[in-house]
Amino acid sequence: MKLSELQRDALGEMANISASRAAKQLSALLGDSIDITVPRVELLPLPALRERLSADGDGTIACVYQALSGVLQGRVHLMFHNRDSKALIHALVGDAGPMLADALREYEHEAMTEVGNIIIATFAAMLADLLGAELRLSLPYYNEGSVEELMFNLPAAEDAALMVVVVIETVLRAAQRDVSGTLMVVLKVHSAEELLSRIDAMLQQIGVEA
Amino acid sequence: MNVEALLDFRLICEQLPIGLFVLNRDDRISYWNDWLADKSGITPAQALGRRLEDLYPGWRNERFQWAVEQAIDYNIPHVLSQALNRLLLPIKVPLSERHGVALMQQKVSVMPLPGGDSGHALVIIQDVTDTVVRAQAANDVMQRFREVSLRDPLTNLFNRRFMWEWLAQELKSADRNNAPLACLMLDIDHFKPLNDSLGHQRGDEILQGFVATVATQLRESDILVRYGGEEFAAFLPHCTLRHAIITAQRIRQQVRGQAIAGLTPGQVTCSIGVALYDPQLPGTGAEELLREADRCLYEAKHKGRDRVCPATEGEACDGDDDYN
C-alpha cells in the first residue's frame, strides 16, 4: 500500500490544519504563541518503520499514546526524543523552579501527556470528520523507552505484518525554539484502506481525480 | 446468587474516592457524586440541572470547555493535567501544613459517556493536592538546605561556595555593563592572640561585632563573604578604585572606633587590601581579582596592620587618617 501524490498532499493539508488547531489550543492554555507545522507525511508498512527508526539513531523516546477503535483500528503515538521533550516542556511552561528530580519528572510527564493529548485529539477529530463515522480514542498514556519498546511491544494481539503506519512529521515552535516530533498513526490494513478511500472520495467531491 | 445483579454501578460511583460529574450538551450537570458533594459543599440537589458557572460565579475555563465539546462531539477523551491547569473547580482545602496550597489541586479527565452518541461528557476529578504539597514541601526543604549550605552559621554571611557562584555571574554583568567591580579583602588584626586570651566565646563575639560594623559601611548591592577564619571579602559592584579605597578607609576607622564585643575601642583593628576588576583590562578573572586583593592585604599586614593597601602603584598604603 502506497500513498499517491494527491493522497499525500491531502493528508498533509489535513494534518497541517489540525496542527494549527492544536497550536491554537496550546497557545490559549499556555498563554504563549505556539506554532505547529507538518512538513512531511508518508505511509509505511509497520515492519519498514523498524528499519527506518533504528537507522535514525538511538536514544530514549518520550511518547504519548492513545488507542484507536471504532471505524479506525490501531493506535496513535506522538513521539519526541527525550531531550527534545524536556526542551519542549521547558519552552512551553518555562522554568518550573527548583524541584526534586522525582517531582520534576512527574511534572514533565504530566505536562507532556496533556500536550500530546491535545495534538492527537485535534488530528483524530479531523479524521472523524473525514470519515463521518464513529472513532473512539482511549485516554492518553505517557511512556518512555526505545522505539522498539514503544512501537513494537505494545498490543499483544497485533500482527505487525498486517499493520501500516501513517508517519506525520511535526515541528513545534515555542519561544523561538523548534522541536521536532512525529505523530504516528498505526492502523490495521483495512482501516488504512478505509481512510484512503475516504480521502479519494473527498478529492473526487472537490473535483480532483485521484 | 448472581453477582451482576448486586452490582449497582450508580452506588459504586457514589462511593468512589474521586470526583465524578456528568455534563450534557448544554453544559448542565446531570450527575454529581457524593465525593464531590462532600469536598465542594455543593449537594447533588443544588448541582443538578445547573451549569458550573452557576455554582461558581465568574467561573470560566476554555480548555475544559473544548475538552467537553470534543468528548461529546467526537468521543475524544482529554486529560487536563495539574501541571498545566492546576485545578478545575475552586475547592478549598484545610490550610494547616499546606505549604501555601489553598485550593485542591486536580488532575481531570474528560471523556465521552460510554454508549456512543450519548451527548454527555463524564468528568473525573482526582485530588492530587497531597502530591503537590509533598513536592512543594520537598522544594521548600531543598531551598532552605541550599540557603543554609551557602551561609556561614556564625556570622550568617555568605560563604566561599556562594562567593564563587555569585562572582562568576557578577563579572559577566560587569563585562556587559562595562562597570568595574571592587574587592576588599579584610582581616582582623591579631585575632588569634585575642581569641586565645579571651576565649572562643568572646572570639566569636568579636567576629560577629566586626561583621556588624563592616556591614554598616556597605551598600545594599555590595556583598560581604566570610572567606576564612577571621578573613572576609567584600565585593562592591559599579565601584571605582578611588571609591573602594574610601569605603575601605571608612571601614577601618569604624572598626577601630567601636567597642567591639565590649572591648576598648582600638583593641580590634583590621587590615584591608583593595583590588579592582576592570572590564577594560583583559585577562583577569575572579581568581586573579582575589589573588590581587589578598596580595594587598598581605602588604597591609606587612607594613604594620590597621591600614588599607590598594592594588595600584603610586597609591601608598596608609594607616593614618589621610583619607578623611
Side-chain angles (χ1 to χ4, degrees), chain A residues 1-2 42-47 49 73-75 151 159-167 184-193 196:
Chain A
M1 189 185 301
K2 281 188 77 173
E42 60 185 320
L43 186 134
L44 298 168
L46 186 55
L49 187 72
Q73 298 187 346
R75 48 197 160 98
M151 288 300 285
D159 183 353
L162 297 178
M163 305 294 286
V164 294
V165 52
V166 183
V167 180
M184 303 213 197
V185 188
V186 181
L187 295 170
K188 290 192 172 166
V189 168
H190 69 82
S191 291
E193 283 166 353
L196 294 188

Side-chain angles (χ1 to χ4, degrees), chain A residues 25 29-30 66 93 98-100 103 106-107 110-111 114-115 117-118 121-122 124-125 128-129 134-135 137-140, chain B residues 62-63 66 70 74-86 107 109-111 116-117 131 135 138-139 142-143:
Chain A
Q25 292 297 333
L29 173 63
L30 303 163
Q66 292 186 259
V93 297
M99 266 200 202
L100 290 179
E106 196 174 320
Y107 179 88
E110 256 197 65
E114 182 168 359
V115 169
N117 185 197
I118 287 173
T122 48
D129 279 341
E134 194 194 318
L135 184 70
L137 273 180
S138 72
L139 279 166
Chain B
E62 286 179 14
R63 165 85 183 98
W66 179 61
Q70 286 241 314
Y74 291 101
N75 290 316
I76 290 175
H78 275 260
V79 168
L80 280 65
S81 65
Q82 187 277 335
L84 300 185
N85 301 270
R86 306 283 169 237
K107 180 182 175 190
S109 307
V110 182
M111 46 208 293
D117 197 13
T131 315
N139 292 344
M142 197 161 76
Q143 223 19 2

Side-chain angles (χ1 to χ4, degrees), chain B residues 85-124:
Chain B
N85 301 270
R86 306 283 169 237
L87 50 92
L88 177 66
L89 301 178
I91 297 174
K92 288 203 179 81
V93 291
L95 266 175
S96 61
E97 295 294 318
R98 283 288 171 205
H99 290 264
V101 179
L103 293 174
M104 182 199 286
Q105 301 296 296
Q106 299 153 22
K107 180 182 175 190
V108 177
S109 307
V110 182
M111 46 208 293
L113 251 197
D117 197 13
S118 69
H120 288 80
L122 171 66
V123 184
I124 302 171

Side-chain angles (χ1 to χ4, degrees), chain B residues 21 27 32 37 59 72 76 101-102 121 130 151 180 197 226 236 241 267 270 283 288 290 297 307 312 319:
Chain B
F21 67 95
D27 299 328
W32 186 263
W59 185 91
I72 293 178
I76 290 175
V101 179
D130 282 347
R151 283 191 188 270
S197 61
R226 186 167 182 195
L236 290 59
L241 186 65
Q267 266 189 290
C270 67
E288 288 80 1
L290 281 156
L297 170 63
R307 66 191 61 224
T312 312

Side-chain angles (χ1 to χ4, degrees), chain B:
Chain B
M1 172 84 60
N2 184 355
V3 178
E4 294 288 322
L6 288 176
L7 287 174
D8 181 335
F9 286 102
R10 206 178 168 98
L11 208 63
I12 292 172
C13 289
E14 298 293 351
Q15 304 204 337
L16 284 176
I18 50 173
L20 289 176
F21 67 95
V22 173
L23 290 180
N24 68 15
R25 215 177 267 284
D26 301 323
D27 299 328
R28 294 193 183 277
I29 296 164
S30 45
Y31 178 69
W32 186 263
N33 81 342
D34 282 354
W35 186 92
L36 258 184
D38 181 42
K39 298 288 178 184
S40 68
I42 296 168
T43 63
Q46 290 167 320
L48 293 180
R50 314 277 299 278
R51 294 191 170 103
L52 288 171
E53 52 265 48
D54 300 331
L55 304 181
Y56 298 101
W59 185 91
R60 190 181 155 80
N61 186 323
E62 286 179 14
R63 165 85 183 98
F64 175 73
Q65 202 58 44
W66 179 61
V68 170
E69 280 166 28
Q70 286 241 314
I72 293 178
D73 295 342
Y74 291 101
N75 290 316
I76 290 175
H78 275 260
V79 168
L80 280 65
S81 65
Q82 187 277 335
L84 300 185
N85 301 270
R86 306 283 169 237
L87 50 92
L88 177 66
L89 301 178
I91 297 174
K92 288 203 179 81
V93 291
L95 266 175
S96 61
E97 295 294 318
R98 283 288 171 205
H99 290 264
V101 179
L103 293 174
M104 182 199 286
Q105 301 296 296
Q106 299 153 22
K107 180 182 175 190
V108 177
S109 307
V110 182
M111 46 208 293
L113 251 197
D117 197 13
S118 69
H120 288 80
L122 171 66
V123 184
I124 302 171
I125 297 182
Q126 283 168 268
D127 179 358
V128 294
T129 312
D130 282 347
T131 315
V132 173
V133 167
R134 256 201 307 279
Q136 190 62 50
N139 292 344
D140 288 353
V141 168
M142 197 161 76
Q143 223 19 2
R144 235 172 294 149
F145 181 75
R146 192 179 139 72
E147 179 80 358
V148 163
S149 75
L150 295 177
R151 283 191 188 270
D152 162 50
L154 177 68
T155 58
N156 201 34
L157 291 183
F158 290 114
N159 59 21
R160 259 202 240 206
R161 186 197 309 216
F162 172 86
M163 181 190 77
W164 291 117
E165 281 181 27
W166 182 88
L167 210 47
Q169 291 304 315
E170 205 57 31
L171 292 191
K172 276 187 208 153
S173 149
D175 287 342
R176 262 199 315 278
N177 302 319
N178 194 22
L181 174 119
C183 169
L184 314 186
M185 192 67 88
L186 312 95
D187 190 275
I188 302 176
D189 296 329
H190 302 298
F191 179 75
K192 194 173 177 325
L194 280 173
N195 196 40
D196 288 347
S197 61
L198 299 171
H200 292 296
Q201 175 80 33
R202 293 293 295 285
D204 286 353
E205 286 169 25
I206 292 172
L207 289 169
Q208 289 166 330
F210 173 78
V211 164
T213 305
V214 173
T216 60
Q217 301 305 314
L218 298 175
R219 304 166 301 178
E220 284 270 309
S221 55
D222 302 336
I223 70 154
L224 183 60
V225 170
R226 186 167 182 195
Y227 194 73
E230 71 271 23
E231 203 171 341
F232 299 85
F235 296 92
L236 290 59
H238 292 273
C239 185
T240 60
L241 186 65
R242 186 84 197 159
H243 257 94
I245 294 169
I246 292 169
T247 303
Q249 276 299 352
R250 273 209 321 264
I251 291 173
R252 188 186 67 77
Q253 286 161 4
Q254 280 293 320
V255 168
R256 128 176 297 288
Q258 292 285 319
I260 289 174
L263 298 173
T264 318
Q267 266 189 290
V268 179
T269 61
C270 67
S271 304
I272 306 175
V274 184
L276 192 75
Y277 175 81
D278 186 343
Q280 289 184 327
L281 301 177
T284 56
E287 284 179 32
E288 288 80 1
L289 176 65
L290 281 156
R291 202 179 306 134
E292 184 62 7
D294 208 33
R295 190 191 61 74
C296 294
L297 170 63
Y298 181 80
E299 198 183 327
K301 292 277 182 194
H302 188 69
K303 290 188 169 164
R305 298 184 168 84
D306 190 21
R307 66 191 61 224
V308 173
C309 267
T312 312
E313 282 174 48
E315 296 271 9
C317 281
D318 69 304
D320 299 320
D321 293 338
D322 298 356
Y323 276 94
N324 272 335

